Amino acid sequence: MDQKDWILMKTLYEQRNMTRTAAKLYVSQPSLSYRLKNLEEEFGVPLFFKTKQGIGFTSEGEYLVQYSKEMLKQLQLMKDTMSNMEEEVSGILRIGVSSNFAQYLLPKVLKNFSKNYPNVRFNVKTGWSTQVIDLLNNSSVHVGILRSDRGWQGEKMLLRKEPLYLISKKKLNMDLLPEYRLINYSTDSSLKDSITAWWADQFSEPANIEMEVDRLETCKEMVKNDFGFAVVPGICLKKDDGLYQQEICFKDGSPVTRETWLMYNQSFENLTVVDRFVNHLREWNGKD
């Protein structure tokens, strides 16, 4: 069993489907079936079985999956450590980043970091904050940049705190918002919860939702064309958007805010590339 088999076991366990696994690994299904058959012959026990949903794992198969995950972690840690032995800061920095931060701020952060450390390369994975937490828990990334602290038990640092804004084409009467059209967009649960809590604090009537779109930028375009209003994080707003912007607050006057956190595993603290990146973000500390 080697690295390719570890990756195969991990991917098949995640996908639970031969077709998706083959596509993910860029191999044909017959080739994948042949490799799985060889693994069962190598260990002399059944590792997999077919289910209505796809592929299941025997107890031996489950054990081999966990072994494969651990071996991949150890292999990556060994590569990181060896790269760290050089006096020059180099190697690959693996980062998990929430989607909005990745779109609006990450390129500038990485560009500024690269000016000081040009030999560092970046492996970036983006998604909802819940997905980034999974990447951290699996040691798939060195650091994560998330939109809430998620109860993380490792090292963490608050990067920025930004207000939420109501945006519209023209000024609205805030007391009459339930009468206006609200445009919703797909986002992670922490932002949804913040907006829901604010609305419940302000109004007894439900919001008048006429549109639900998949992206924040699509939502902004709908607002620019006067199809309704939206509540968005300040990170996505620009001076030239040409929109009415009103910071939202609870009835007690406290602003509704959203936090951005840097998190990382303690096991990566001694890697120079991680140390330099953490210090870089500490100095940046939320500045645009």
Side-chain angles (χ1 to χ4, degrees):
M1 192 176 192
D2 57 20
Q3 182 184 355
K4 289 183 179 179
D5 294 321
W6 302 336
I7 294 173
L8 184 156
M9 291 295 293
K10 179 176 179 291
T11 306
L12 183 62
Y13 189 77
E14 291 169 348
Q15 301 297 324
R16 304 293 180 116
N17 179 279
M18 292 287 285
T19 302
R20 291 197 299 267
T21 300
K24 196 87 173 176
L25 297 177
Y26 297 98
V27 299
S28 66
Q29 278 193 245
S31 175
L32 178 62
S33 298
Y34 178 76
R35 286 172 64 182
L36 294 177
K37 182 180 178 182
N38 283 347
L39 277 176
E40 288 188 317
E41 290 178 353
E42 178 180 348
F43 290 100
V45 293
L47 300 173
F48 322 98
F49 57 88
K50 292 183 179 180
T51 69
K52 290 182 179 180
Q53 289 74 33
I55 296 294
F57 289 76
T58 65
S59 297
E60 294 85 354
E62 293 268 359
Y63 178 81
L64 201 57
V65 168
Q66 296 309 312
Y67 170 82
S68 298
K69 288 181 177 180
E70 186 59 34
M71 293 303 294
L72 287 169
K73 280 185 187 179
Q74 293 300 320
L75 178 62
Q76 187 60 61
L77 183 59
M78 179 269 291
K79 290 180 178 179
D80 292 340
T81 302
M82 291 184 68
S83 175
N84 189 61
M85 289 177 178
E86 301 177 5
E87 291 185 8
E88 186 177 35
V89 181
S90 62
I92 298 176
L93 178 64
R94 292 178 282 118
I95 313 171
V97 193
S98 67
S99 299
N100 285 344
F101 189 95
Q103 179 173 355
Y104 297 109
L105 291 179
L106 184 65
K108 186 180 294 184
V109 169
L110 296 187
K111 183 177 181 180
N112 290 336
F113 183 77
S114 292
K115 289 178 181 177
N116 295 322
Y117 306 104
N119 293 317
V120 173
R121 292 176 293 153
F122 305 104
N123 183 318
V124 177
K125 297 182 179 180
T126 66
W128 301 137
S129 293
T130 49
Q131 295 170 314
V132 177
I133 276 287
D134 288 339
L135 293 173
L136 283 167
N137 285 327
N138 294 330
S139 296
S140 298
V141 294
H142 293 129
V143 299
I145 300 176
L146 293 77
R147 302 291 275 166
S148 64
D149 70 1
R150 301 277 171 178
W152 175 249
Q153 298 301 309
E155 298 297 320
K156 58 186 176 183
M157 176 174 69
L158 181 63
L159 292 180
R160 59 184 274 139
K161 184 181 289 189
E162 68 193 90
L164 298 187
Y165 289 86
L166 179 145
I167 59 171
S168 56
K169 182 66 176 177
K170 53 186 176 293
K171 186 174 181 178
L172 303 179
N173 185 330
M174 297 291 284
D175 295 329
L176 300 179
L177 285 186
E179 298 179 14
Y180 298 114
R181 294 169 296 182
L182 172 65
I183 302 174
N184 259 356
Y185 53 93
S186 298
T187 187
D188 64 60
S189 59
S190 64
L191 179 55
K192 285 182 181 178
D193 291 345
S194 295
I195 296 174
T196 300
W198 168 74
W199 188 273
D201 179 71
Q202 298 289 316
F203 309 105
S204 57
E205 310 100 306
N208 177 21
I209 302 172
E210 288 197 4
M211 287 190 182
E212 299 205 32
V213 298
D214 62 340
R215 295 178 63 246
L216 179 51
E217 283 301 315
T218 304
C219 175
K220 280 179 59 181
E221 289 302 314
M222 291 296 183
V223 174
K224 288 178 181 180
N225 285 277
D226 206 16
F227 286 107
F229 74 95
V231 178
V232 301
I235 192 174
C236 76
L237 298 177
K238 302 173 184 176
K239 292 181 180 179
D240 60 356
D241 280 333
L243 293 170
Y244 170 74
Q245 302 176 15
Q246 172 66 53
E247 186 176 334
I248 62 172
C249 298
F250 293 109
K251 283 182 178 178
D252 63 6
S254 60
V256 185
T257 60
R258 196 153 195 229
E259 297 175 342
T260 300
W261 290 82
L262 170 71
M263 302 177 186
Y264 55 97
N265 281 297
Q266 291 159 327
S267 58
F268 296 135
E269 282 183 297
N270 294 325
L271 296 178
T272 303
V273 68
V274 173
D275 178 69
R276 296 293 192 276
F277 189 68
V278 170
N279 286 333
H280 176 72
L281 285 179
R282 184 176 288 114
E283 293 174 4
W284 175 78
N285 199 26
K287 297 188 289 289
D288 293 344

